[in-house]
Amino acid sequence: MSTPTTVDAVCDFVRAHTHVVPRGRGTKPLLFDVPPGAAALDLSGLTGVLEYDPGEYTFTALAGTPLAEVEALLAGHRQYLPFDPPLVRRGATLGGTVAAGLSGPGRYRYGGVRDFILGLRWVDGRGQLIRGGGKVVKNAAGFDFPKLMVGSLGQLGAIVEVTFKVFPRPRAYATYVVDAPTLNVALELQSRLLMAPLDLEALDLAPGPRGTQLQVRLGGLAESLSARLGRLRDMIGEGRVRQGEDDAALWEAARELTWVPVESALVKVPVTPRRIPQLEAMLEQTSAVRRYSAGGQVAWLSWPHAVDVLDTELSRLGMAGLAIFGPEYVGGGPFGLIGVKRSHQAFAARVKAALDPAVRFPEL
Amino acid sequence: MSARSFLSDLAAVFPKTRLLTGRPQLTTYESDALTAYRTTPRAVVIPQTTAEVVAAVRACHTHKVPFVARGSGTSLSGGSLPVEDGLVIALNRMNRIVRLDPSERLAIVEPGVINLAVTQAAAPHGLYYAPDPSSQQICTIGGNVAFNSGGAHCLKYGMTSNHVLGMQVVLPDGELVTLGGESLESVGPDWHGLFVGHEGLFGVAVELTLRLLPRPETFRTVLAAYRSMQQAGDAVSAVVASGLLPGAMEIMDRLALQAAEAAVHANYPAGAAAVLIVELDGESQAVEAEFQQLRRVIEGTGAYEVRVPATEAERQAIWRGRKSAFSAVGRISPDYIVQDGVVPRSKLGQALAEIDALSAKHGIRVANVFHAGDGNLHPLILYDGRLAGAYDRAEALAAEIMQVCIRLGGSITGEHGVGMEKRAYMPQLFSKADLDLMWQLRCVVDDLQIANRGKVFPGGEAPALRHGGPHPLERAGIISRE
């Protein structure tokens, strides 16, 4: 099968097939299932940064561009994607990150992938190239298709180009780590930080066999960090400071999800701080390793059993999840969406009918 | 079907006090803050519950009557202008804060809640609602969500869509759906993200889940006065290049400064061609360190006067001048059009030079106030509505300014929306395929095209009557246009 390297070729591919499943470099294999009779549309050949002006805080790139390439380019100008896209080292692409709707621990500070996407071009179910949004940091013209496509899993079309807002990268970082005896104690410390007027880059909880670790990342001018760390100590008690490579390694492991064992599936579950104990009560009876990120707004689970079991458990809890990668035998629902379906169907079905009337792309 | 059966359907649900059909009552709803347009609706309903909104929308769908949902009517793009012979659904009485949940950092509100009321309710917990359009004392959350409202802090904090977690929506056939949820994260397509900024075309939001943030601990502000606009523009670039991320960066030009001076005696530096205001916000120790850096940057930008407010009162005075600039223009001109365009930040200087040239060519004064951090221009085009043809000439100039924004790679609206005002420019910004798809979506979501009919898409219904002069609320100093 050919890999298109131009936008026109993607349009031709879509028009030439009745069932199309878009994919990038395959870092999230549970999110694209190619059933018999469907054609996989490999977008990994569509690479390259098309526009980048550091003074504008924006760039435009083709969807198959690896995140690693983008991050290296931005780093050269002391800029970054503040939402910390995950799985960079594994080869994740810009388009795949948008289609999967994934953000890393840095989403705590300024927002997630949905908050940084400004515009995109995609090929719709009619095989037409469509543009949504724009290339400027503020824009209110036309329907917000860029946001719609975040998390769309290829179900609404094939993303071919994206425009993002970027920010200046903090000059220095430091992380304050506190070992709490229990998850509940850690949640209590976290809630103090959530309500405080602090500018935290990241705020994660890592439950383990001997309690839960609270990881609090600060960023900014180096001269302000020690005073700010002192303030954290006053608020949440004694802890350890990690700086330099030590700090970088901690957060690299978090965003790369290197702690997920190969025999487990990675599952994302949106939560809120108050719902974490409910999820924990279910997980305690399993050997699932987990991490709560972005101030208790998302759970990352490594699920060691069949995904359909988790599907049932999440439904019981009224939660939704996204099974992202794992060994093939863990299965999972079509396109990784598990747990409850929210009551958006009437609206969703209409949007799908408009964007993909012949259901050329995977069903919702 | 007859008008009577439509109205009797409504009368079965709404008492007379909340179903307005008399001419004098309807007059209040004839226009919004784009006062150049006026249309009389057939009726106005004032629902108090979601069930009543559903009933009103169902009646419209059954009888094929267009409807427009409306909050405080502060739209500057004519977004809440009634449709001729249609229904206005006035949501001001659905103004309850359903749930304020500080520990989850969210508020669930009805659409008629005033923007500032959310922040006021959250304030005792040290939290606030970040989007702050300058009409925030009167505009409603429902309207903010429909038009994806902005404000002065969008570069750092984003627009309304970045602060809406979920919602309950009445679709244009009366079906009630829930989009999004209470978490900042979600799985599957971002349906609520699509809904924000729909400009009333996808139905009526009846309940909104908003994200709250801790109120910044410290604000540090600097005002710099320049002899030329070019210097002010370059100063913005210098701040950006230094790696700082200010909460707000605002510029006012000579004419806007004169107006602000006349209105509120802002006491800005005399003789300035441009004034730049930069504000950092956040955690005290971080902001103090960054402010030292900001001052060093500003010192190198050729400002002939730099002021750092020493007290909160002095800081507020700086902002009062800026926030009053729009209505203050009323002091120096009987009428004005507020434009809203965006250009890439690095093209701000070029855009302003072109606006100057257009102003000279047309012989029409233009005052400029803008959110420099995000390239969002607000040219105020001054005219005298009592003179024959003056409005049309002003609008012709506005159209040329829009062409400049499009040509420089920007947008026709940063925060006011397309509404009535910008419909004609849509084909210049979007391709036929783009617009056709938006139209397809509009038609599938709303099979009868009754929700805010005639807005957003070019070639909608016949334009409403035009009229000059400020909005009555604006004259009274209650609202300002931005």
Side-chain angles (χ1 to χ4, degrees):
Chain A
M1 183 174 308
S2 68
T3 299
T5 55
T6 66
V7 169
D8 285 344
V10 175
C11 292
D12 291 342
F13 185 102
V14 172
R15 289 190 201 116
H17 296 87
T18 50
H19 293 291
V20 177
V21 180
R23 57 163 293 175
R25 294 178 65 181
T27 59
K28 301 175 269 288
L30 295 184
L31 300 185
F32 55 90
D33 174 39
V34 187
L41 167 54
D42 181 352
L43 294 162
S44 66
L46 210 57
T47 65
V49 175
L50 306 177
E51 294 173 35
Y52 173 45
D53 180 348
E56 291 298 333
Y57 286 176
T58 61
F59 73 87
T60 299
L62 291 171
T65 310
L67 285 166
E69 185 181 325
V70 174
E71 295 206 326
L73 179 67
L74 296 175
H77 297 270
R78 289 186 163 170
Q79 294 185 342
Y80 75 139
L81 285 165
F83 61 90
D84 263 358
L87 307 173
V88 176
R89 305 285 160 249
R90 295 192 198 209
T93 63
L94 271 176
T97 302
V98 173
L102 301 186
S103 304
R107 78 110 50 233
Y108 183 74
R109 178 79 169 97
Y110 295 111
V113 55
R114 75 184 299 272
D115 302 303
F116 281 85
I117 189 166
L118 299 173
L120 52 66
R121 292 200 299 163
W122 86 97
V123 179
D124 74 358
R126 295 175 183 80
Q128 301 179 105
L129 184 64
I130 306 290
R131 188 168 74 81
K135 292 183 174 177
V136 281
V137 297
K138 194 171 180 183
N139 184 17
F143 298 142
D144 200 341
F145 288 127
K147 278 211 181 48
L148 173 68
M149 291 295 173
V150 172
S152 61
L153 303 172
Q155 296 163 347
L156 300 172
I159 300 166
V160 293
E161 181 192 295
V162 287
T163 298
F164 270 96
K165 176 165 87 167
V166 298
F167 275 166
R169 189 178 184 83
R171 295 297 171 99
Y173 289 102
T175 295
Y176 194 64
V177 177
V178 173
D179 290 307
T182 65
L183 178 84
N184 283 340
V185 172
L187 283 170
E188 205 283 311
L189 296 177
Q190 174 177 268
S191 77
R192 282 187 218 168
L193 297 175
L194 288 173
M195 301 294 289
L198 301 173
D199 296 330
L200 308 178
E201 300 298 314
L203 177 55
D204 277 18
L205 297 177
R210 290 183 303 279
T212 293
Q213 193 168 82
L214 182 69
Q215 301 166 346
V216 189
R217 195 179 204 195
L218 297 176
L221 296 175
E223 59 264 36
S224 70
L225 289 180
S226 70
R228 295 169 67 196
L229 285 164
R231 189 170 175 193
L232 282 180
R233 185 180 302 109
D234 293 343
M235 287 184 69
I236 57 173
E238 281 307 315
R240 296 186 304 285
V241 176
R242 300 183 64 160
Q243 280 177 301
E245 286 178 17
D246 207 18
D247 161 272
L250 189 161
W251 294 105
E252 164 120 351
R255 70 187 290 205
E256 294 299 325
L257 299 150
T258 50
W259 50 272
V260 179
V262 284
E263 67 276 13
S264 295
L266 172 69
V267 181
K268 167 188 164 176
V269 181
V271 290
T272 65
R274 192 173 298 145
R275 304 215 67 189
I276 289 174
Q278 298 164 30
L279 187 59
E280 276 292 308
M282 183 268 285
L283 293 172
E284 270 171 9
Q285 294 149 35
T286 72
S287 55
V289 185
R290 61 269 188 191
R291 184 179 180 88
Y292 297 98
S293 190
Q297 294 289 322
V298 63
W300 297 101
L301 314 180
S302 80
W303 185 254
H305 316 292
V307 172
D308 55 359
V309 175
L310 184 61
D311 182 26
T312 307
E313 290 294 330
L314 289 177
S315 294
R316 188 175 57 76
L317 292 168
M319 296 179 184
L322 186 71
I324 296 166
F325 64 69
E328 279 183 24
Y329 64 83
V330 299
F335 301 98
L337 279 173
I338 58 173
V340 293
K341 306 282 183 285
R342 293 200 184 277
S343 57
H344 56 235
Q345 263 75 358
F347 185 64
R350 293 179 206 196
V351 176
K352 173 75 173 175
L355 270 57
D356 184 22
V359 197
R360 208 184 281 262
F361 291 102
E363 289 185 52
L364 291 178
Chain B
M1 256 176 260
S2 74
R4 176 183 289 176
S5 64
F6 172 62
L7 290 178
S8 58
D9 274 7
L10 293 176
V13 178
F14 294 92
K16 282 197 182 108
T17 50
R18 296 193 286 113
L19 170 58
L20 316 180
T21 54
R23 181 77 207 193
Q25 294 170 304
L26 298 179
T27 305
T28 314
Y29 296 89
E30 278 181 348
S31 72
D32 55 22
L34 183 66
T35 52
Y37 293 92
R38 285 198 176 179
T39 304
T40 308
R42 185 190 309 193
V44 176
V45 289
I46 307 173
Q48 293 179 336
T49 63
T50 292
E52 288 181 354
V53 175
V54 169
V57 171
R58 284 227 173 103
C60 289
H61 194 257
T62 302
H63 298 280
K64 301 186 168 61
V65 174
F67 66 86
V68 180
R70 177 189 159 112
S72 298
T74 57
S75 172
L76 283 161
S77 59
S80 55
L81 181 79
V83 179
E84 185 81 51
D85 220 26
L87 181 70
V88 169
I89 302 175
L91 295 159
N92 307 68
R93 289 213 199 156
M94 287 185 66
N95 60 354
R96 283 157 291 219
I97 294 179
V98 178
R99 184 176 128 212
L100 182 77
D101 196 333
S103 58
E104 299 277 84
R105 286 205 331 208
L106 60 85
I108 299 179
V109 306
E110 291 182 335
V113 169
I114 303 292
N115 173 298
L116 191 60
V118 180
T119 285
Q120 285 167 344
H125 308 280
L127 302 173
Y128 81 121
Y129 176 63
D132 61 344
S134 48
S135 55
Q136 72 173 151
Q137 293 187 37
I138 185 166
C139 64
T140 63
I141 294 294
N144 292 175
V145 167
F147 284 82
N148 195 12
S149 300
H153 299 92
C154 295
L155 175 65
K156 183 172 175 183
Y157 291 98
M159 301 171 60
T160 297
S161 61
N162 306 104
H163 299 270
V164 176
L165 304 174
M167 55 186 65
Q168 241 185 50
V169 172
V170 180
L171 296 177
D173 56 1
E175 184 159 358
L176 192 63
V177 295
T178 301
L179 311 177
E182 295 190 359
S183 175
L184 289 173
E185 281 288 324
S186 58
V187 293
D190 198 330
W191 307 112
H192 62 290
L194 174 65
F195 192 89
V196 178
H198 70 114
E199 300 207 9
L201 271 58
F202 294 164
V204 185
V206 287
E207 195 174 279
L208 300 138
T209 304
L210 309 177
R211 164 195 193 199
L212 303 175
L213 294 178
R215 187 181 142 76
E217 188 174 33
T218 300
F219 296 88
R220 291 305 304 267
T221 310
V222 59
L223 179 150
Y226 298 92
R227 298 287 185 202
S228 79
M229 180 57 80
Q230 181 70 41
Q231 285 177 308
D234 290 348
V236 171
S237 298
V239 172
V240 166
S242 75
L244 292 168
L245 186 61
M249 275 193 280
E250 302 282 302
I251 290 181
M252 301 165 73
D253 76 356
R254 192 186 301 278
L255 198 51
L257 290 165
Q258 283 171 12
E261 206 53 57
V264 297
H265 310 293
N267 194 28
Y268 288 148
V275 156
L276 168 67
I277 303 168
V278 183
E279 185 164 277
L280 301 176
D281 59 19
E283 193 178 332
S284 296
Q285 286 129 339
V287 168
E288 292 304 336
E290 287 166 5
F291 194 64
Q292 298 312 311
Q293 186 185 337
L294 175 62
R295 291 200 61 178
R296 286 193 295 275
V297 172
I298 293 290
E299 272 163 25
T301 58
Y304 73 89
E305 187 170 339
V306 176
R307 290 187 191 167
V308 174
T311 64
E312 179 59 19
E314 285 179 28
R315 174 179 165 260
Q316 290 296 344
I318 287 176
W319 280 111
R320 199 157 48 245
R322 163 63 188 87
K323 286 181 177 171
S324 71
F326 284 51
S327 46
V329 167
R331 300 292 186 105
I332 58 172
S333 173
D335 295 285
Y336 58 98
I337 296 174
V338 180
Q339 261 303 345
D340 169 37
V342 183
V343 295
R345 187 175 31 235
S346 60
K347 305 266 173 65
L348 272 174
Q350 187 183 342
L352 289 165
E354 293 198 30
I355 291 170
D356 267 354
L358 288 170
S359 166
K361 183 183 99 179
H362 287 261
I364 296 174
R365 292 186 297 165
V366 179
N368 282 291
V369 177
F370 50 94
H371 308 305
D374 42 34
N376 189 187
L377 302 162
H378 288 307
L380 307 168
I381 301 163
L382 314 190
Y383 70 101
D384 184 346
R386 293 165 300 191
L387 303 178
Y391 177 80
D392 292 328
R393 287 193 296 276
E395 207 179 42
L397 171 56
E400 290 197 47
I401 292 175
M402 283 299 104
Q403 309 304 330
V404 171
C405 291
I406 294 168
R407 184 158 41 77
L408 294 179
S411 176
I412 57 175
T413 170
E415 54 188 0
H416 296 173
V418 177
M420 290 293 288
E421 191 197 16
K422 302 284 178 68
R423 294 178 308 171
Y425 308 123
M426 287 290 273
Q428 295 164 45
L429 196 62
F430 291 105
S431 74
K432 185 173 183 308
D434 300 340
L435 283 174
D436 283 351
L437 187 71
M438 287 187 215
W439 180 248
Q440 288 287 335
L441 179 56
R442 192 285 199 268
C443 294
V444 175
V445 172
D446 178 4
D447 58 343
L448 303 175
Q449 297 104 55
I450 52 175
N452 217 4
R453 180 182 287 174
K455 312 290 170 64
V456 178
F457 293 98
E461 276 78 41
L465 295 174
R466 280 179 180 159
H467 136 99
H471 191 280
L473 288 171
E474 191 178 15
R475 218 179 279 130
I478 295 168
I479 62 170
S480 63
R481 303 188 217 180
E482 185 186 358

